[in-house]
């Protein structure tokens, strides 16, 4: 195991960049911790704060959802069903006001990684601002997910702590990876996935073997706090099924090919919506001339109007996915319409500047595709007794649609998590 080089805390005196750093450095010098011990202590702090941050984030989403889609909606519902469209629009107004006040919500994950490698300047960190913006977006029905903001909560705190201590770029990257792993672990209740994400995506080939313990400890602490506060139950209750005949294997390959097509369409739709709101697409130049704070209002209004006909596309959509996995009856035309509409509304939500991730919508797309595929096979007379039910194909479809996004100007996670 390769030893970690000494921690490069700032020297005392005028060279220290921040008062926090100058006050913390003498403390560490008096305690004389070894470099490995210091990094482990920092990983514990990152894991604990990130776990608490992700728990707060989920409670905020639930609070805003209850306030807007239950209490406020209940108060205005007597005016007519059209009032449902007001909720995402109101969320867009709030996000627009926040964008007018703060301009941006801080760097995304790609920007943080690039900053630790000296490829670009790091814009000011605003983890609280982004967390509140994501809570408002998701709580009022934006067609996005909570996973990417959870990762960025941890990554932003890890980077902030590294900046306060004025650590070297290598250690900044390590604490960034520890924060990202903690955020992913708390958001998904999966410490191992968080560790692999940090090692593969954030640290790449630049980490020492001893760095794994820092990332692992941060991920485990964060996941433990999230389990204590949010519960250890899985997000979905998955169906139990078996392969009924060898014929199903090529059928699953066919589902995989369809899923790759949906994934490509998903990526292109996100890029197209982003280009439209920047005014780079023919016929949508007028959108680029509008003030940016107006874009989330348009995005929220689009989601709200479509939700009048398809309320399943509102918010994260886990309830609809769970219904598909439990074999709640959906018609084939409805499943195909939900697939198309969810894809379009996710792209519009993201391109308009609403804040959230793309992982949960991708699972919705995969479940819709798989359910439609399984339902179609079930309708064929020669297949009805030789294939599993639609829930089995919905589960496979959730895994088959890759969550991959190109670089975007939106303040959401541009790296698949």
């Amino acid at each position: 195991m390769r030893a970690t080089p000494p921690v490069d805390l700032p020297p005392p005196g005028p060279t220290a960049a921040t008062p926090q750093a100058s006050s913390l450095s003498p403390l560490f010098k008096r305690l004389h911790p070894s470099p490995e011990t210091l990094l482990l202590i920092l990983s514990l702090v990152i894991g604990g704060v990130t776990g608490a941050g992700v728990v707060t984030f989920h409670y905020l989403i639930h609070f805003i959802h209850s306030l807007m889609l239950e209490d406020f909606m209940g108060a205005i519902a007597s005016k007519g069903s059209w009032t449902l469209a007001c909720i995402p629009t109101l969320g867009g107004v709030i996000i627009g006001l926040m964008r007018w006040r703060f301009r941006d919500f801080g760097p995304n994950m790609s920007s943080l990684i690039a900053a630790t490698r000296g490829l670009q300047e790091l814009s000011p960190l605003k983890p609280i601002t982004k967390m509140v913006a994501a809570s408002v977006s998701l709580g009022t029905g934006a067609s996005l997910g909570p996973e990417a903001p959870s990762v960025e909560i941890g990554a932003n705190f890890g980077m902030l702590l590294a900046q306060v201590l004025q650590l070297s770029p290598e250690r900044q990257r390590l604490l960034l990876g520890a924060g990202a792993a903690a955020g992913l672990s708390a958001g998904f209740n999966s410490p191992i996935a968080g560790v692999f994400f940090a090692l593969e995506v954030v640290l790449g080939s630049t980490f020492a073997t001893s760095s794994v313990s820092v990332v692992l400890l941060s991920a485990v602490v964060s996941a433990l706090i999230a389990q204590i506060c949010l519960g250890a139950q899985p997000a979905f209750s998955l169906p139990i099924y078996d392969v009924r005949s060898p014929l199903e294997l090529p059928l699953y390959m066919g589902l995989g090919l369809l899923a790759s097509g949906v994934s490509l369409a998903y990526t292109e739709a996100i890029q197209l919506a982003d280009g439209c709101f920047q005014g780079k697409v023919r016929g949508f130049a007028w959108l680029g001339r509008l003030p940016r704070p107006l874009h989330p209002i348009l995005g929220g209004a689009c989601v709200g109007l479509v939700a009048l006909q398809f309320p399943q596309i509102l918010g994260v959509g886990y309830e609809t996915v769970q219904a598909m996995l439990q074999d709640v009856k959906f018609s084939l035309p409805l499943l195909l319409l939900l697939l198309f509409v969810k894809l379009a509304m996710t792209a519009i939500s993201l391109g308009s500047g609403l804040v959230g991730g793309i992982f949960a919508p991708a699972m919705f797309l995969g479940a819709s595709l798989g359910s439609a595929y399984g339902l179609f096979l079930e309708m064929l007379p020669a297949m009805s007794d030789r294939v599993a039910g639609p829930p089995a194909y919905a589960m496979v479809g959730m895994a088959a649609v890759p969550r991959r996004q190109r670089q975007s100007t939106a303040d959401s996670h541009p790296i698949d998590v």
Side-chain angles (χ1 to χ4, degrees):
M1 182 178 294
R2 188 168 63 190
T4 307
V7 175
D8 45 350
L9 293 170
T15 56
T18 62
Q20 296 97 328
S22 60
S23 61
L24 286 172
S25 298
L27 174 63
F28 285 124
K29 289 181 178 180
R30 286 198 300 270
L31 294 175
H32 296 294
S34 66
E36 292 80 6
T37 302
L38 178 57
L39 287 174
L40 290 176
I41 293 173
L42 294 178
S43 70
L44 281 172
V45 173
I46 291 172
V49 173
T50 299
V54 171
V55 169
T56 303
F57 175 52
H58 281 268
Y59 279 130
L60 267 177
I61 295 173
H62 178 71
F63 171 74
I64 295 173
H65 181 275
S66 299
L67 180 67
M68 299 301 294
L69 285 170
E70 294 177 12
D71 299 339
F72 182 64
M73 186 63 200
I76 65 174
S78 59
K79 308 259 181 216
S81 59
W82 62 269
T83 52
L84 178 61
C86 298
I87 306 302
T89 306
L90 181 57
V93 171
I94 297 172
I95 298 301
L97 290 173
M98 292 183 69
R99 287 201 177 277
W100 172 75
R101 173 62 179 83
F102 297 104
R103 302 296 178 185
D104 68 77
F105 299 146
N108 54 33
M109 195 68 198
S110 289
S111 300
L112 290 170
I113 295 174
T116 61
R117 294 174 180 171
L119 301 178
Q120 70 179 61
E121 293 293 326
L122 184 64
S123 59
L125 298 171
K126 302 175 183 177
I128 303 299
T129 304
K130 181 169 284 189
M131 181 178 72
V132 172
S135 301
V136 171
S137 297
L138 298 173
T140 55
S143 181
L144 297 168
E147 294 82 11
S150 298
V151 173
E152 291 184 350
I153 288 172
N156 274 268
F157 181 72
M159 179 62 78
L160 184 62
L161 187 60
Q163 286 186 332
V164 168
L165 296 176
Q166 289 190 299
L167 303 183
S168 65
E170 290 75 15
R171 282 178 177 72
Q172 286 186 14
R173 194 176 306 124
L174 178 57
L175 294 190
L176 173 65
L184 187 63
S185 300
F188 283 85
N189 192 18
S190 54
I192 301 303
V195 171
F196 278 106
F197 171 76
L199 296 181
E200 294 176 6
V201 176
V202 181
L203 300 178
S205 59
T206 62
F207 68 92
T209 306
S210 56
S211 303
V212 178
S213 59
V214 175
V215 175
L216 180 61
L217 183 59
S218 180
V220 169
V221 170
S222 180
L224 179 62
I225 291 175
Q227 287 183 14
I228 292 172
C229 298
L230 301 176
Q233 68 277 5
F236 303 108
S237 177
L238 297 178
I240 299 175
Y241 75 98
D242 53 1
V243 178
R244 296 188 179 181
S245 72
L247 178 64
E248 282 198 275
L249 298 179
L251 294 178
Y252 281 121
M253 291 178 61
L255 177 59
L257 292 175
L258 291 175
S260 66
V262 170
S263 178
L264 290 173
Y266 190 34
T267 302
E268 292 301 322
I270 290 172
Q271 293 299 115
L272 178 62
D274 189 58
C276 287
F277 280 98
Q278 293 185 56
K280 296 179 179 179
V281 177
R282 180 178 297 180
F284 292 91
W286 60 276
L287 274 177
R289 293 191 292 268
L290 290 177
R292 193 182 180 202
L294 294 180
H295 291 175
I297 303 175
L298 293 176
C302 288
V303 173
L305 290 172
V306 172
L308 294 177
Q309 186 66 34
F310 301 100
Q312 298 92 338
I313 59 97
L314 283 174
V316 179
Y318 281 172
E319 296 85 359
T320 304
V321 173
Q322 183 63 57
M324 294 176 186
L325 292 174
Q326 295 302 319
D327 205 16
V328 174
K329 298 304 179 183
F330 290 83
S331 67
L332 183 58
L334 177 59
L335 288 170
L336 295 176
L337 281 171
L338 287 177
L339 175 64
F340 173 78
V341 171
K342 184 68 173 181
L343 187 151
M345 290 303 102
T346 301
I348 290 174
S349 296
L350 200 63
S352 67
L354 298 172
V355 184
I358 61 172
F359 185 88
M363 287 197 292
F364 188 107
L365 298 179
S368 300
L369 173 67
S371 291
Y373 187 80
L375 189 59
F376 173 76
L377 294 177
E378 205 174 50
M379 291 177 176
L380 300 177
M383 296 288 187
S384 58
D385 297 328
R386 304 180 66 184
V387 297
Y393 288 90
M395 182 173 64
V396 174
M398 290 169 62
V401 176
R403 275 67 64 178
R404 189 173 183 85
Q405 179 185 350
R406 297 175 186 168
Q407 181 66 38
S408 170
T409 58
D411 291 307
S412 55
H413 200 305
I415 296 177
D416 175 26
V417 295

